[in-house]
Amino acid sequence: MHEVSLAEGVIDVVERAAEGAHATAVSEVRVAVGELSNVEIEALAFAFESVKKGTVANDAKLVIDRPEGRAWCMTCQKDVPYHRFGDACPICGGYQVVVSGGRDMRVVDIKATTPEDSDKADS
Ligand SMILES: [Zn+2]
């Protein structure tokens, strides 16, 4: 299952960030999953619950943001909101569009507990 390897990738990032910040535990992991990425949110959340066990993210909560899809419309000559592959440009109705954003998934924030009791461990 695709989402299991994605969740493992998230845990990888979290473990490296926690190590770099000397964090002892991670309380929250925020990921951005683009609207046009081929990721099933429920499957990802489920996979995360299983792969986090025994890691520094054992008690971490997964928060999922859904950044909007974007596309460049050649007719309008601008970036437009784009919600599904195969859709027309929402402004001119044309199909001369190239997806420009919202395709990927990434970790955007990790809340960790460090010995200094700082609650943040960015990158
Ligand atoms: Zn257009």
Side-chain angles (χ1 to χ4, degrees), residues 73 75-76 80 89 91-94:
C73 175
T75 309
C76 300
V80 297
C89 167
I91 301 189
C92 68

Side-chain angles (χ1 to χ4, degrees), residues 40-109:
E40 266 195 63
I41 296 300
E42 275 170 40
L44 176 66
F46 183 80
F48 182 81
E49 290 307 307
S50 96
V51 299
K52 75 178 187 179
K53 291 199 181 92
T55 74
V56 71
N58 193 61
D59 300 316
K61 182 166 73 118
L62 183 68
V63 180
I64 300 175
D65 291 342
R66 301 299 320 263
E68 172 183 82
R70 306 288 300 179
W72 175 262
C73 175
M74 308 220 191
T75 309
C76 300
Q77 288 286 304
K78 65 176 180 181
D79 212 36
V80 297
Y82 196 71
H83 305 296
R84 215 175 45 193
F85 285 103
D87 276 4
C89 167
I91 301 189
C92 68
Y95 288 89
Q96 300 283 83
V97 291
V98 179
V99 171
S100 59
R103 300 184 75 150
D104 50 347
M105 173 187 144
R106 63 199 174 87
V107 177
V108 290
D109 196 28

Side-chain angles (χ1 to χ4, degrees), residues 6-27:
L6 288 173
E8 282 168 353
V10 169
I11 291 293
D12 254 17
V13 171
V14 169
E15 282 187 319
R16 265 183 277 136
E19 200 178 292
H22 304 290
T24 49
V26 170
S27 59

